[in-house]
Each structure stands twice: as structure tokens, then as C-alpha cells.
Amino acid sequence: MTKRALITGITGQDGSYLAELLLGKGYEVIGMVRRSSTVNFERIAHIQDRITFVPGDLLDEVSMINMLSEHRPEEVYNLAAQSFVQTSFSQPVLTGEITGLGVTRILDAVRLVDPEIRFYQASSSEMFGKVQEVPQTESTSLYPRSPYGAAKVYGHWMTINYRESYDLHASSGILFNHESPRRGLEFVTRKISNAVAKIKLGLATEVRLGNLDAQRDWGFAGDYVEAMWLMLQQDGPDDFVVATAETHEVREFCQLAFDRVGLDWEKHVKVDEKFFRPAEVDLLVGDPTKARKVLGWAPTTSFPELVHMMVDADLALLNGDLRGLAR
């Protein structure tokens, strides 16, 4: 019998990789899309004809109920969010509505329509914010440093609450930073790889960045979606840190990216204070021991491989090769 999975946020980076993974496993994939004149199918263009798209919105619980009632998925992956930290400072209420309350709306729809649905919530390392211990584990105290992080904390605890109150198979993946050629251009890693490609091709001369000292645990999104799927295959629900256990500075990302094309990063990177966060998160590094032991999951892409993959893909895209996005 063919399994059916619903993915919210299917047009995003993680949604596109997860859809590929599930299709490869023989799933029927349903993708929730908001009614909008600007839906961007670029990341899933190569698999678009194999996905069933349904209208829905995390701001509207009735649409969630109707969607689940009509399509009856066995698994639901909630990847939709206002997911850019910088934007959350200028749009904190919208971020709370979508990234926080939106989780409650879809959990409640699952409870009402079919409590047997297995549910995945995309939690975030930004919940740790001003970190209370290094490295961060599933039991580390949460201290978000942005409206986005605070909204993710709310969604995370609501997932636990619904799990314990209604016996739902609801799991959260506390994913640390994960990147790819499909990352949005507003995120610092893709901003860097895209700028490197433009500078190499003579289309730009510099890139302006914020805090080069910020340290992150960066992995490949294509690896991380496998952990999401593995969580919903377990007998019982739980929460898992998904990370590489390595930390790297933004400065190191710049160095590797510019080295890839034979350029000196210090000649092209300019620090601009307008890109600094009002409250900075300085050091995030996750301990994925539990995911390794329970799920059998481990990252397969190294940090240099990730940086090189992103630079190569942006060079290909700027040269007119759309296959860069299929990486």
C-alpha cells in the first residue's frame, strides 16, 4: 500500500529535498501551498508533475482540517514558517502567527481529523539562542534571541503538549543550520556563495556581511531531511537534535567559498553593521548523539563539500545552467 505524506512548506529548501526523498521511497506526496500570485516552484520544478498540490494556510485552521480530511495523509511534515531571523525582528507578530500559532492550528487539525497521523515539527537551533551549554542537546535550556526563535519555542512546546495530552505521534527535529544550493538568497551562506560566483564572473566586486565571528553548526539540507523521515518511522514520538557537531565561523565559510574560485576573500568582503542582529546568537553547535543512536542517522556531507557545492551551483546558475538547483 502506497504511503501518503503531506508537506507544508514544500516549495522551500527543506520541502523540496524531503519531497524528493519521499518520492524516491514510493510515497504519494501532497504539497500545501498558500494561495498567492507569487508561488515559487523553482526548487521543485524537476519533480512538480509528481506532486499533488493543495491550497492551505497555517493562518487558517479550517483549510488545514479540509486538507487532511480530503487527502488523508499518514504522515504530515510541518516545514512551513516565516523562517528568516532578520525578518522576524521587523515582522514579529506575523512570525508569531505563522511560525508559532500555525503549529497549533495544524496539530489541532490532526487531532480532530485523524489522531493516528504521524506528525513532524521543524524545530530550530535558534531556540537555544543565548546558549546555556555547549554543545546543545535535546535537554539544553532554551533561550531564544529573536522573535523567530521565540515562535519556534512555542511551536516546539505545543508539539510536546499535544503529544502528551492527546497521545499523538508528534516529533520535533531540532535542526541546526542546514544549507544547500536551494537556500534562499537572504540567508548568509547563499548570499556568500552567490556573491562569490558573481564576483568571479565579473558581475560584482564585493559582498557586505554582518558578524563574521558568529559560529554555526552547518550541514547539508539533503542529509537532514532523512532524519525527519526516520523520526516518523519510529514506534514512538520523540525530539531529536540534528546537527554535525562541528562549528565554523562565517569568516571560514567566506574563506572556503572564495578559495573555491581562486580569490582572496579579504579583498571582497566588507562588514556592514546594518546586517548585525539586534541580539546576536554567537555559538551554536549541536550534539546529535541521540539521533545517531536511535535513528541511525549521521551527516554524510562535510563542511568544505557543502561550501564547494553551493559555489559550484551558483556558478552554474549564473551561467544559465538551471541544473544547479537540482543538486
Side-chain angles (χ1 to χ4, degrees):
M1 180 179 155
T2 303
K3 268 190 174 179
R4 191 177 297 122
L6 169 73
I7 303 172
T8 74
I10 195 167
T11 59
Q13 169 187 259
D14 292 8
S16 67
Y17 281 111
L18 179 60
E20 279 180 353
L21 177 78
L22 295 179
L23 287 168
K25 294 181 180 297
Y27 277 67
E28 181 184 335
V29 175
I30 300 146
M32 186 191 87
V33 289
R34 283 181 299 153
R35 287 205 182 280
S36 166
S37 58
T38 57
V39 175
N40 182 359
F41 290 100
E42 190 177 61
R43 294 182 180 94
I44 52 173
H46 59 297
I47 52 173
Q48 193 172 335
D49 59 346
R50 301 169 61 195
I51 297 167
T52 301
F53 295 99
V54 295
D57 198 314
L58 289 180
L59 298 177
D60 178 30
E61 186 172 338
V62 173
S63 71
M64 304 279 107
I65 292 170
N66 290 340
M67 187 170 54
L68 295 179
S69 298
E70 182 179 349
H71 294 278
R72 294 287 172 176
E74 285 96 350
E75 298 174 3
V76 170
Y77 296 85
N78 183 39
L79 309 185
Q82 189 302 100
S83 61
F84 188 41
V85 173
Q86 198 75 32
T87 299
S88 79
F89 284 102
S90 58
Q91 299 184 348
V93 176
L94 177 68
T95 300
E97 282 284 0
I98 298 171
T99 307
L101 283 170
V103 183
T104 308
R105 294 187 187 102
I106 192 165
L107 279 166
D108 215 40
V110 167
R111 176 182 69 85
L112 292 168
V113 174
D114 181 4
E116 294 302 308
I117 288 173
R118 295 190 171 200
F119 178 82
Y120 171 83
Q121 166 59 14
S123 289
S124 168
S125 60
E126 288 287 335
M127 300 190 308
F128 296 120
K130 188 175 181 180
V131 298
Q132 303 300 291
E133 64 178 354
V134 179
Q136 292 90 53
T137 71
E138 293 79 7
S139 59
T140 299
S141 297
L142 306 178
Y143 194 142
R145 295 272 277 173
S146 66
Y148 169 76
K152 280 292 187 183
V153 169
Y154 176 87
H156 180 75
W157 277 107
M158 287 306 289
T159 302
I160 294 170
N161 187 269
Y162 269 68
R163 176 167 81 212
E164 295 178 351
S165 300
Y166 305 112
D167 198 27
L168 298 184
H169 194 298
S171 295
S172 287
I174 306 172
L175 270 59
F176 281 66
N177 293 63
H178 47 290
E179 319 297 318
S180 76
R182 302 179 197 173
R183 193 57 144 153
L185 287 166
E186 68 272 24
F187 291 88
V188 67
T189 50
R190 183 76 195 289
K191 182 178 179 180
I192 294 167
S193 66
N194 183 257
V196 167
K198 284 183 174 177
I199 292 167
K200 179 63 177 178
L201 296 173
L203 303 173
T205 58
E206 68 175 32
V207 58
R208 293 184 170 269
L209 302 173
N211 182 12
L212 299 183
D213 297 323
Q215 298 175 48
R216 295 291 183 272
D217 183 327
W218 276 303
F220 173 47
D223 290 340
Y224 284 33
V225 296
E226 185 181 1
M228 300 177 188
W229 175 77
L230 285 167
M231 287 177 215
L232 298 201
Q233 312 317 306
Q234 305 305 304
D235 291 338
D238 208 343
D239 305 322
F240 295 89
V241 163
V242 180
T244 69
E246 294 180 9
T247 188
H248 302 274
E249 290 183 347
V250 173
R251 180 181 286 100
E252 188 180 349
F253 197 104
C254 289
Q255 184 177 351
L256 280 168
F258 278 94
D259 281 353
R260 182 66 169 174
V261 296
L263 295 173
D264 180 354
W265 73 275
E266 292 183 283
K267 292 181 179 177
H268 302 284
V269 174
K270 302 287 187 285
V271 173
D272 188 332
E273 289 193 2
K274 79 176 183 181
F275 294 115
F276 280 67
R277 296 183 184 184
E280 183 57 84
V281 172
D282 295 313
L283 173 60
L284 290 174
V285 55
D287 179 357
T289 300
K290 182 176 172 183
R292 186 171 65 246
K293 287 182 177 177
V294 177
L295 305 178
W297 178 86
T300 63
T301 308
S302 71
F303 180 66
E305 286 171 340
L306 173 64
V307 178
H308 295 165
M309 176 200 308
M310 292 179 68
V311 171
D312 293 350
D314 271 319
L315 280 169
L317 279 174
L318 289 173
N319 280 317
D321 184 355
L322 293 177
R323 287 174 297 180
L325 273 175
R327 299 185 185 200

